Each structure stands twice: as structure tokens, then as C-alpha cells.
Amino acid sequence: MTSARIRKTTIKDVANAAGVSTATVDRVINNRAKVSPATATRVLDTYRRLASNATADLPGEPERRLRFDFVMESSKPFIDSIKTAVERIASSYQRFNISLHIHQAPLPFNLQEFTMRLSAIATESDGIVLVCREDPAITSCLNAISKAAVPLVCLTTDLVDTERLGYVGINHVSAGRTAGSLLGQFIGPQSGDLILLLTGSFRCQYERELGFRSLIREAYPNLSIREVYAHQETDPDCFAKLSEALKSHPVRPLAVYNTGGGIRGVADALTAMGWSREVLFVGHELNDASLELMTTNRMAAVIGQDTKSEVAVAVNALLHHHQRTTTPPTYTPAAPLVFLKENIGTLISDGLPIFHGELNGP
């Protein structure tokens, strides 16, 4: 394979062309801190334009087309948000001569089938971006893939025992602590129970639980945690498990924190008890379902992440590995985003790529 001869575009070049500071460019490119959507868009568009101009008309033999595969095991709404992000960035990477492919693990999850599919995908892949649970069998499979010279990037949830290039996503301990802080401040001095709804076997959810429990223990001794476990990140399973827990306990909880998917099932369980307005509900990922629940006052807040930026960073990491770009990857976890009913309108109008289909879609 012939490596691309890329004339480097510097942060200073982008800052001068976009009319912003070099610090702002650094924050946007590396997703280090919050920048207004309009400014981020201007910086990224400027970077792409300068980078494209810098590589135009370079002599050299055409490079082999690279294939990058996104392999995902998660709830449908979250996978849909990743698919949307992949589709929206694809055109920005045409000049790198790559193709992006998406694979979704079917439900119910089957560990043996998943590892077999991973191994099959790896035989044709030049890089895998992975969203999945932690399991020794998966770790063994991925380390074998890595030894076969197929680079791996963990997206939104880490697999720390794998030989991956790095993890791209938010700080999930911080996300759990943020959820605890929001609920503690919403509730105030009142004493009572919080329900912690756990789903799946993902490291991101373990870390969210750790952050949530530690914050409540440290800052809000007036609040007690009751745990409910749902085996699947689906609306039916979350509805069934939470409904059972609510009916079996005589005292109405003050709030519910859901660490994973199935948020519509959680909201429906509270509605079925007649508590949709009395019990605060905080969960994760801004998508069609959570948008509807917030706008109808059935969800107090959503802890989210910028999936488009994360997908772009993951693709850049694979490009850098293959020497198709000189822009080094960054694996510093980003800060979680907090979405309330009052602040989502501007984000939607600025085109934040988090929605798949129409409101009330599947």
C-alpha cells in the first residue's frame, strides 16, 4: 500500500481561516470542552476545506480502498443514533478512499454467534469500531483479531482488557455522578428512595452506577438507593421489571435513574402507576424516544454525548493507524452533556446529529 503524502494543516491555519482562537480549534477537534454548535460547525467546515485543498493535486499512486466496520450491540435507539452519525460523516471522508459498514447484533444476544460474526467480519476489515458488552470470550476474540493486524477502536463503552487502539466516548463515571447531582438538586432536602435501574453488562453502565452511587453517598445522605435489574435493554423488559418493583414496594420513590436503554418502558411503568409527574426520571441518550418523553414532561433530564464527533474521532483513529492522515487521534474521554426540555430546541435547530427518523418513530 502506498501511503498518502499529506501536507499538514495546522491548528493555527484553521484558527486564522475560521476567525477563532487556536484554543477553540483545539477544543472542537479534540472534543475537550463545550463549544457552541455554530462555532464548532464553522471550525470543522474550515478544517475540512483546508485539509482537502492541502491534499488536492498531490502526485502519487491511488491508495487501496479501506473498509472500516462498525459492530454494535446495544439498544435500538442508540444504534440508530450511531447509524445516523455514520451516514452524516461518510461524505466528509470520501477523499480518504474508505467505505464504512454497519453491523448490528440481533436480539436476544447470543455470545457464541456474536464472536463468530466478529471473526468473520475481521477477515475482510481494515479496522473495527466496536460497541459491545464485556465478556472474556469477546475479549479473547478481539485480541486474536488485533494480533491478526486488524486495528480496533472501542466506541462509547470501553473494553479495557483488549488490545485496542483506544476508547472514544464520554467519562461515564462523571455521567453517573451528573445524574446523581441533578436528582439530588431537583429533590432538595426531602428524604426518600431513588430507584437505580440497571441493564446489560456494559462497562459504561458499571461506571455510571459507580458514579451515581458515590455521588449520592457523598452528597445526599437523605436519599436511599433501591436497585432494580432488567436483563435486556428493551422497553418490554424494563417496563416489566420496574412495574414489578413499584407494585411490590408500598412507598412511592422520589426518582428513577436508568443507566441504560429501555427508557420508554421506564416511562410507561411510571405512567401505569399514575406517577409520571410525581416521580423524577433521568436517563441516557438524546434520541426520538427521550425527546418525546422530555417534551411531554415524562422525563426530567437526559445525560448524553455527541455521537457524531465520537464517530468522527473513531474513524480518524483508524485513518491515522493506516497513515492516511497526520491528525493524531485523541482518547481523552469527553465530558457528558446534559439535556433538559428547555435547552434541546437550539440543539435540534443547529442540526445536532442525534435523531433517527421522525418523532414517535420506531
Side-chain angles (χ1 to χ4, degrees):
M1 180 180 74
T2 302
S3 297
R5 285 170 280 186
I6 300 175
R7 186 180 303 119
K8 186 174 181 180
T9 299
T10 67
I11 286 180
K12 186 175 180 181
D13 292 335
V14 178
N16 289 338
V20 298
S21 68
T22 55
T24 297
V25 176
D26 178 75
R27 287 197 295 270
V28 171
I29 292 177
N30 295 306
N31 198 24
R32 295 187 193 280
K34 185 175 181 180
V35 177
S36 73
T39 300
T41 298
R42 185 166 77 253
V43 169
L44 291 174
D45 288 346
T46 301
Y47 170 76
R48 291 168 187 139
R49 173 171 55 81
L50 293 176
S52 178
N53 291 339
T55 58
D57 301 324
L58 285 178
E61 180 182 336
E63 292 180 301
R64 177 177 68 86
R65 188 170 181 81
L66 296 177
R67 174 191 175 109
F68 296 157
D69 294 272
F70 286 75
V71 182
M72 298 180 289
E73 179 224 345
S74 187
S75 62
K76 184 181 183 302
F78 184 70
I79 290 177
D80 286 343
S81 70
I82 298 294
K83 287 181 178 178
T84 300
V86 171
E87 291 165 359
R88 294 191 180 186
I89 71 161
S91 62
S92 302
Y93 291 92
Q94 289 179 353
R95 65 189 176 87
F96 291 104
N97 196 21
I98 63 173
S99 60
L100 305 177
H101 303 265
I102 298 174
H103 310 268
Q104 179 176 347
L107 293 176
F109 178 77
N110 183 293
L111 178 61
Q112 183 176 6
E113 290 180 1
F114 184 74
T115 55
M116 290 175 61
R117 190 176 187 190
L118 264 177
S119 298
I121 291 169
T123 62
E124 299 181 350
S125 183
D126 296 296
I128 294 176
V129 180
L130 193 65
V131 180
C132 75
R133 69 185 63 196
E134 281 193 307
D135 188 274
I138 294 175
T139 298
S140 177
C141 175
L142 291 174
N143 285 337
I145 290 171
S146 181
K147 286 183 172 65
V150 179
L152 306 170
V153 176
C154 293
L155 181 66
T156 73
T157 186
D158 203 3
L159 299 165
V160 296
D161 293 328
T162 60
E163 298 175 17
R164 76 274 191 264
L165 296 180
Y167 160 70
V168 177
I170 64 172
N171 181 331
H172 290 287
V173 174
S174 176
R177 290 182 65 88
T178 299
S181 180
L182 285 172
L183 287 177
Q185 293 180 66
F186 289 162
I187 292 169
Q190 184 178 2
S191 296
D193 288 349
L194 307 178
I195 288 184
L196 175 62
L197 180 61
L198 305 171
T199 60
S201 303
F202 297 85
R203 172 167 286 269
C204 64
Q205 295 177 12
Y206 299 154
E207 292 175 346
R208 291 169 187 172
E209 178 187 1
L210 171 65
F212 183 78
R213 286 186 181 278
S214 64
L215 189 285
I216 296 299
R217 181 173 59 249
E218 296 164 9
Y220 298 101
N222 55 308
L223 301 176
S224 301
I225 295 175
R226 280 196 280 137
E227 181 178 310
V228 176
Y229 181 73
H231 295 281
Q232 299 288 339
E233 283 191 295
T234 63
D235 292 328
D237 197 43
C238 288
F239 174 84
K241 297 300 182 183
L242 182 56
S243 294
E244 179 182 352
L246 294 175
K247 292 175 182 177
S248 64
H249 199 282
V251 179
R252 184 178 70 197
L254 298 176
V256 174
Y257 170 47
N258 181 19
T259 62
I263 59 172
R264 194 182 295 276
V266 173
D268 288 346
L270 293 174
T271 299
M273 295 292 293
W275 295 344
S276 61
R277 302 298 177 91
E278 290 82 4
V279 177
L280 294 168
F281 172 29
V282 170
H284 285 268
E285 311 311 337
L286 187 60
N287 51 40
D288 293 335
S290 58
L291 171 63
E292 179 188 350
L293 293 175
M294 278 200 294
T295 55
T296 55
N297 298 312
R298 299 172 65 198
M299 196 169 188
V302 170
I303 313 298
Q305 53 201 323
D306 185 349
T307 53
K308 182 179 178 182
S309 294
E310 291 173 355
V311 167
V313 171
V315 172
N316 179 73
L318 295 177
L319 287 171
H320 188 267
H321 175 84
H322 287 283
Q323 300 181 334
R324 294 284 177 99
T325 179
T326 58
T327 304
T330 177
Y331 298 116
T332 303
L337 304 176
V338 177
F339 300 107
L340 305 171
K341 178 182 176 181
E342 288 73 20
N343 74 350
I344 57 177
T346 302
L347 295 169
I348 297 168
S349 64
D350 284 333
L352 191 65
I354 47 181
F355 301 108
H356 177 86
E358 301 294 330
L359 186 63
N360 298 318

